[in-house]
Amino acid sequence: MVDRKKLGKKSFAVLVDPDKVNDQKMHHLIKLAVDAQVDYFLVGGSLVISNYLDECIQFIKKSCDIPVILFPGSPSQVSKYADALLYLSLISGRNAELLIGQHVVSAPFVKQSGLEIMSTGYMVIDGGAPTTVSYISNATPLPADKNEIAMCTAMAGEMLGMKLIYMDAGSGARRPISESMIVQVAQKINVPLIIGGGITEPEKAYLNCKAGADVIVVGNAIEKNENLINEMAAAVHSVPVIASR
Ligand code: 1GP
């Protein structure tokens, strides 16, 4: 993600919830993703109930070259078959467990996995309805209209050494993150900015990239209509390449 940002390229990531897919669905989704030149598969969810995580990742890895990045809702969602792990610290919340506690407990296991570890300042932004992530995290989401708080939080995350900032309105958010918040945050950080939650229209994905997002993540909308993959990826990749700061 860092390399693509340096080249000024915008990326599109499809979020796969292992609870909602099987080999047959994945087969179809992978074909669409390859054709659309999707940049990443993010795999994970706030709650993963099934045992399909390892299998799902192995299935993707044997079917295509699209990198698989874990987006874990808990330390149990670590799979050695993935390429990398978003090592999330919930910096928008004040729940010590999700800031550092779970990391301490799982550190030896995570290190042993051999995965590329991508330290990520994870910011949950109020998306207009309680989402699984806001409930599970037991942390108040950052208010959607408080751009300054978002900006300062992202800056603090970057200065603490985080290599990515992920602003998430939560899966199925009623209201995705505003472009004005994205602009304000993107202007103040140099690390890649990932945006997700409630993005249902290719136009919104495009506008988010124009506002400064480097990676767009879409899950729900694609679960409902897989054919959106192509339009979403095309919208993200159509944003003019601008050399990085
Ligand atoms: C959720 O950012 C992701 O954590 C994607 O959200 O499922 O609403 O696209 P959606």
Side-chain angles (χ1 to χ4, degrees):
M1 290 186 186
V2 175
D3 291 347
R4 282 185 64 83
K5 181 178 169 75
K6 276 191 193 139
L7 297 170
K9 289 186 180 166
K10 306 294 182 178
S11 306
F12 180 58
V14 173
L15 175 63
V16 176
D17 181 340
D19 281 349
K20 296 186 183 158
V21 289
N22 53 33
D23 281 0
Q24 199 188 344
K25 271 196 185 167
M26 283 312 299
H27 179 75
H28 185 54
L29 196 68
I30 290 165
K31 188 179 177 328
L32 292 172
V34 169
D35 289 347
Q37 296 183 304
V38 164
D39 300 291
Y40 308 102
F41 275 114
L42 253 55
V43 180
S46 301
L47 259 186
V48 171
I49 303 161
S50 70
N51 285 325
Y52 189 60
L53 181 71
D54 278 344
E55 247 181 89
C56 172
I57 295 169
Q58 285 174 292
F59 193 87
I60 301 173
K61 292 306 298 174
K62 74 168 188 220
S63 312
C64 68
D65 293 329
I66 299 173
V68 178
I69 302 176
L70 288 163
F71 175 42
S74 72
S76 64
Q77 290 176 37
V78 173
S79 167
K80 63 179 181 188
Y81 301 107
D83 295 294
L85 166 76
L86 292 184
Y87 199 50
L88 306 167
S89 177
L90 184 63
I91 58 174
S92 61
R94 297 298 176 266
N95 178 339
E97 277 306 301
L98 300 182
L99 270 165
I100 183 67
Q102 294 192 347
H103 309 70
V104 173
V105 174
S106 61
F109 167 66
V110 170
K111 181 113 185 169
Q112 214 178 27
S113 71
L115 294 163
E116 181 191 343
I117 307 299
M118 305 162 92
S119 66
T120 305
Y122 187 49
M123 296 166 55
V124 176
I125 314 295
D126 189 356
T131 56
T132 312
V133 64
S134 61
Y135 176 77
I136 296 279
S137 68
N138 194 19
T140 314
L142 205 148
D145 58 349
K146 300 289 184 204
N147 295 356
E148 288 78 13
I149 302 179
M151 182 183 85
C152 295
T153 307
M155 286 167 69
E158 180 176 53
M159 289 190 287
L160 280 166
M162 282 152 187
K163 300 288 184 280
L164 304 166
I165 295 291
Y166 187 160
M167 294 208 297
D168 194 351
S171 201
R174 250 183 240 155
R175 217 178 33 220
I177 295 167
S178 70
E179 277 115 54
S180 69
M181 181 179 275
I182 297 170
V183 168
Q184 214 154 334
V185 170
Q187 278 171 353
K188 294 289 180 192
I189 59 170
N190 292 310
V191 294
L193 177 60
I194 309 171
I195 299 290
I199 300 172
T200 56
E201 305 283 340
E203 173 74 5
K204 176 65 179 154
Y206 177 83
L207 292 173
N208 283 1
C209 288
K210 289 278 282 181
D214 296 294
V215 183
I216 299 294
V217 181
V218 178
N220 247 275
I222 288 171
E223 277 163 26
K224 290 187 186 132
N225 174 14
E226 289 173 335
N227 296 318
L228 259 184
I229 288 189
N230 198 24
E231 285 174 60
M232 287 281 187
V236 169
H237 294 147
S238 72
V239 177
V241 173
I242 302 165
S244 178
R245 286 160 286 181

